[in-house]
Amino acid sequence: MRKLALSDEILLKIQQPARYIGGEVNMAVKDTKKVDIRFAMCFPDVYEIGMSHLGMQILYDMFNRREDIYCERIFSPWTDLDQIMREEHIPLFALESQDPIKEFDFIGITLQYEMCYTNILQVLDLGQIPLHQKDRTEEDPIIIGGGPCAYNPEPLAEFFDMFYIGEGETVYFQLMDIWKENKKNGGTRKSFLEKAAEIDGIYVPSFYDVTYREDGTVKAMKPNNPHAKETVVKQMVAEMDDVYYIENPIVPFIKVTQDRVVLEVMRGCIRGCRFCQAGNVYRPLREHSLEYLKAYASKLLKSTGHEEISLSSLSSSDYSHLEGIVNFLIDEFKGKGVNISLPSLRIDAFSLDVMSKVQDIRKSSLTFAPEAGSQRLRDVINKGLSEEIILKGASEAFRGGWNRVKLYFMLGLPTETVEDMEGIAELSEKVAEAYYEIPKDQRNGKVQVVASSSFFVPKPFTPFQWAKMCTNEEFLQRAHLVKDKFRKMLNQKSLKYNYHEADLTILEGVLARGDRKTSALVEEAYKNGAIYDSWSEHFKNYIWMKAFETCGLDADFYTIRERDLDEVFPWDFIDSGVSKEFLKREWQNAINESVTPNCRQHCTGCGAMKFKGGVCYEAKN
């Protein structure tokens, strides 16, 4: 019998006890006495969210293939267990061994979304690990952060020993080997961090000093340790078929957000949308070969028993073998009850043709992301999608049997006007009209068009990193303007409009572009009860507003202030591959409403070619 960290009495008191007991299908089991390194992989959100994260599954599988490493998992305890653990002083534990996480050598935390930052402190606090890296001793684990938010690690700099900038398959094993060597030689925590800082892609925040100008902006960031580099270069997989992929994904006992096999078809994107951080930091686009995907698709479905397989990427329509992999999946699993999910497709004839081959797709709605209501604003953001293409795609989808469409937009984009906002309702109306142009006897019931708008947040390493945000009031005014316009549409009964929380967006903006001073803000909010901020029912804006006051910080400084082109950003020490000069050109192109061609049409010299792989070299091979 496996030992459990929680008693039966506690497990019977809480929601979803299966979140905490481990023992799932394909879970790694090792003798802790026979490994050299204990690594806990943490996703700072509830189990159902974390278990849906592909990156965590990939690294978990990769680490556990090494006999000397035992990689286990940690998730944020839900609020009911959180309270019990504090009251009864139960230390946070890993799912596999059920051992306290303070006994591990490393804790690797996925930084997926800014509004999970207080949950990171929850994990450390419940794990009985000092929150500040400066307070940790030789007995404490090394805390590593990685993932998309690591491209601006400064708001978390006080809490992490190091950050891993880039894709996890590249230098993690080198880091582990250095740790083993350092331990063998009797080295200290500091000597390990110094050796780690010499590895490309590793950032040790305690080895850098930040100075500020009188206006509060960053003056400079300089290494204070000879082992630290002036510039930290992101790490990237150049040849996708040469890296690990999951062969035996863990199958949870309970339903999780993405309850299916996930097949990653490529990384990166050719499109160059100017608001999109992922499209910039994951450049260049790199594809898996068709044969690689065929082999893994069969292994994954066999090892999990899942009845659905999803093709994962930023823009699946741009995968050059999309039709080939879809045809293979249909032929291979025909009559075996396997559903094929195709997210991230563009609204064009080719994508619809591919989707029409997938039988069960018609049970769900189609999702398109015009992002902006007018062509002018789509050109500003470089969406590369015309109204003609949108309406033609919608019309073909309706003729193909679909009758539900989701449209995603953003409000508060740079240069946005009233006409652009009202265009969200007008475009949604035109999509509905396209349905009613089909002869009545060929329609599939009533049409439903659901439009949703999030609020724009400028992210690091995008051309919009210089842009200002709207205030909370401005965001809500814009959302109400759009909602009013929807009420005036002739087909309003077929239309529905939703929008995101404005106050949450403001905080996301602060933490996305925050400097090291905002570490105090995160800690103050956490100590006053902020947790699970990404969950509407638990988000308490007043706690954060009080924290701004206590810390002497001004949210407007980080949000509504437009940046000068020569301003030093807190993340400027990171080389993401995309040059600041390119981003400046794209910012100017946005102001001029000028469209930049995608990477397969024309190389615009973004800087990513230096990684020597992917789309940058397609024509040369």
Side-chain angles (χ1 to χ4, degrees):
M1 289 284 291
R2 290 173 66 241
K3 66 170 185 178
L4 292 179
L6 301 176
S7 67
D8 291 348
E9 184 185 0
I10 291 173
L11 289 170
L12 288 168
K13 281 183 186 176
I14 58 176
Q15 297 176 43
Q16 301 283 20
R19 291 168 173 163
Y20 311 107
I21 61 174
E24 308 100 317
V25 173
N26 294 332
M27 184 190 85
V29 179
K30 295 188 180 185
D31 185 342
T32 58
K33 297 182 181 67
K34 294 181 180 178
V35 295
D36 298 319
I37 299 171
R38 298 193 67 184
F39 194 109
M41 191 73 67
C42 170
F43 197 96
D45 207 324
V46 74
Y47 175 92
E48 292 93 317
I49 302 292
M51 280 303 297
S52 302
H53 186 252
L54 178 62
M56 187 171 180
Q57 288 258 25
I58 290 173
L59 292 180
Y60 178 87
D61 192 84
M62 181 185 92
F63 277 125
N64 281 315
R65 289 190 202 184
R66 266 185 57 159
E67 290 184 4
D68 58 342
I69 301 174
Y70 190 8
C71 182
E72 305 185 41
R73 292 163 296 144
I74 317 167
F75 303 100
S76 285
W78 190 242
T79 52
D80 53 356
L81 181 59
D82 177 281
Q83 184 180 345
I84 293 170
M85 292 179 78
R86 293 177 195 277
E87 289 170 353
E88 302 197 14
H89 305 288
I90 300 169
L92 186 60
F93 51 90
L95 266 62
E96 279 71 6
S97 64
Q98 301 277 298
D99 289 339
I101 64 171
K102 61 184 176 182
E103 298 176 3
F104 283 64
D105 301 307
F106 291 91
I107 298 175
I109 303 179
T110 301
L111 310 177
Q112 190 67 25
Y113 178 40
E114 292 85 356
M115 299 317 298
C116 289
Y117 286 1
T118 51
N119 278 55
I120 294 168
L121 300 193
Q122 176 213 26
V123 166
L124 296 176
D125 198 7
L126 290 177
Q128 301 175 4
I129 298 163
L131 296 186
H132 289 253
Q133 45 86 9
K134 63 182 174 60
D135 297 328
R136 293 181 195 132
T137 68
E138 300 295 328
E139 305 305 312
D140 291 308
I142 300 290
I143 310 299
I144 309 178
C149 291
Y151 283 95
N152 178 19
E154 290 303 275
L156 296 170
E158 302 293 341
F159 314 122
F160 281 79
D161 296 295
M162 65 174 71
F163 292 91
Y164 184 119
I165 313 296
E167 296 171 351
E169 299 96 333
T170 50
V171 297
Y172 248 131
F173 284 167
Q174 185 184 350
L175 186 67
M176 297 297 102
D177 291 339
I178 285 174
W179 186 86
K180 282 175 64 174
E181 186 69 21
N182 184 68
K183 186 179 180 182
K184 180 183 170 185
N185 295 334
T188 63
R189 187 183 190 91
K190 185 179 179 183
S191 65
F192 167 67
L193 291 175
E194 287 180 336
K195 291 180 177 72
E198 295 177 351
I199 301 174
D200 288 336
I202 301 297
Y203 165 55
V204 180
S206 60
F207 291 169
Y208 295 78
D209 293 323
V210 185
T211 53
Y212 297 90
R213 299 185 185 278
E214 285 185 16
D215 64 1
T217 60
V218 174
K219 181 180 181 182
M221 184 169 174
K222 296 290 182 185
N224 60 33
N225 186 298
H227 297 271
K229 302 172 187 286
E230 288 270 351
T231 302
V232 178
V233 182
K234 85 162 181 191
Q235 295 305 288
M236 193 203 80
V237 173
E239 180 46 63
M240 290 291 287
D241 282 4
D242 289 347
V243 297
Y244 290 96
Y245 198 65
I246 328 154
E247 291 191 357
N248 301 295
I250 297 172
V251 184
F253 290 133
I254 57 176
K255 186 172 176 59
V256 298
T257 311
Q258 303 290 332
D259 202 12
R260 57 182 70 100
V261 160
V262 179
L263 193 63
E264 183 184 33
V265 299
M266 64 185 190
R267 286 184 194 168
C269 186
I270 60 172
R271 296 289 161 182
C273 295
R274 292 173 181 138
F275 58 83
C276 181
Q277 185 186 52
N280 282 284
V281 299
Y282 294 129
R283 285 182 179 222
L285 175 138
R286 292 145 289 144
E287 297 187 341
H288 277 301
S289 70
L290 185 55
E291 293 310 308
Y292 180 100
L293 296 181
K294 285 179 179 180
Y296 272 102
S298 300
K299 287 178 187 174
L300 289 165
L301 286 163
K302 186 176 180 181
S303 72
T304 62
H306 276 305
E307 296 175 342
E308 184 170 348
I309 186 165
S310 175
L311 303 185
S312 170
S313 72
L314 291 173
S315 177
S316 299
S317 300
D318 295 319
Y319 176 55
S320 52
H321 306 295
L322 179 63
E323 198 165 11
I325 187 62
V326 169
N327 287 337
F328 167 78
L329 293 173
I330 291 170
D331 295 342
E332 187 75 6
F333 302 107
K334 196 171 186 178
K336 297 180 182 177
V338 175
N339 188 33
I340 303 163
S341 173
L342 301 168
S344 309
L345 289 178
R346 292 173 70 80
I347 181 167
D348 55 29
F350 168 68
S351 300
L352 290 166
D353 181 55
V354 170
M355 280 189 285
S356 68
K357 296 176 181 176
V358 183
Q359 303 303 311
D360 291 342
I361 197 76
R362 289 176 191 161
K363 293 177 182 175
S364 61
S365 58
L366 282 175
T367 301
F368 305 125
E371 309 292 0
S374 72
Q375 192 57 49
R376 185 199 72 81
L377 195 53
R378 282 193 291 276
D379 290 346
V380 167
I381 65 176
N382 206 48
K383 185 62 186 175
L385 199 59
S386 69
E387 184 173 293
E388 182 186 358
I389 291 172
I390 295 167
L391 295 178
K392 186 180 178 186
S395 181
E396 290 186 13
F398 294 145
R399 291 179 191 280
W402 286 279
N403 66 346
R404 289 183 292 165
V405 174
K406 291 179 183 176
L407 300 174
Y408 286 126
F409 298 92
M410 262 188 278
L411 278 174
L413 286 161
T415 79
E416 186 178 66
T417 65
V418 170
E419 289 74 22
D420 300 322
M421 296 176 231
E422 291 183 335
I424 292 173
E426 291 164 352
L427 181 58
S428 301
E429 169 86 344
K430 288 175 183 176
V431 169
E433 285 173 349
Y435 182 78
Y436 292 114
E437 288 171 2
I438 299 171
K440 198 168 186 177
D441 60 335
Q442 295 175 27
R443 295 179 203 159
N444 184 21
K446 291 184 177 180
V447 70
Q448 184 182 38
V449 179
V450 180
S452 301
S453 61
S454 60
F455 295 122
F456 166 68
V457 176
K459 294 287 175 110
F461 298 106
T462 68
F464 286 169
Q465 64 184 352
W466 287 276
K468 64 180 181 180
M469 282 180 68
C470 294
T471 63
N472 185 67
E473 294 74 20
E474 287 169 339
F475 276 138
L476 291 175
Q477 285 168 4
R478 292 175 190 226
H480 294 154
L481 185 150
V482 176
K483 198 167 185 69
D484 288 342
K485 187 68 175 177
F486 267 93
R487 291 194 185 107
K488 296 173 184 174
M489 296 292 106
L490 287 173
N491 290 299
Q492 60 173 291
K493 289 184 179 178
S494 300
L495 307 176
K496 187 178 178 183
Y497 176 62
N498 305 311
Y499 55 89
H500 194 53
E501 298 103 324
D503 46 12
L504 192 76
T505 303
I506 297 297
L507 274 175
E508 185 186 338
V510 171
L511 298 176
R513 293 192 294 184
D515 51 30
R516 199 171 284 197
K517 290 180 283 189
T518 55
S519 286
L521 177 75
V522 175
E523 185 173 358
E524 181 67 20
Y526 169 70
K527 286 183 173 177
N528 285 290
I531 192 172
Y532 281 107
D533 297 300
S534 61
W535 294 70
S536 300
E537 64 267 37
H538 294 289
F539 175 61
K540 298 180 180 70
N541 193 52
Y542 66 87
I543 292 178
W544 285 91
M545 294 304 102
K546 179 67 176 167
F548 276 108
E549 194 179 316
T550 304
C551 297
L553 295 173
D554 180 10
D556 289 353
F557 174 79
Y558 297 100
T559 55
I560 64 172
R561 179 178 63 85
E562 189 166 317
R563 275 65 171 163
D564 293 330
L565 282 177
D566 59 354
E567 180 171 329
V568 176
F569 291 134
W571 53 89
D572 274 351
F573 70 95
I574 295 172
D575 180 356
S576 73
V578 178
S579 71
K580 203 169 183 181
E581 290 67 35
F582 168 76
L583 296 174
K584 284 179 182 177
R585 288 202 309 271
E586 280 297 278
W587 174 231
Q588 195 56 55
N589 284 340
I591 302 302
N592 296 336
E593 301 173 16
S594 175
V595 173
T596 300
N598 73 56
C599 297
R600 283 196 172 122
Q601 291 174 320
H602 176 68
C603 177
T604 50
C606 72
M609 189 178 280
K610 71 181 180 185
F611 291 112
K612 298 183 172 18
V615 69
C616 304
Y617 285 78
E618 276 181 357
K620 301 180 182 182
N621 293 334

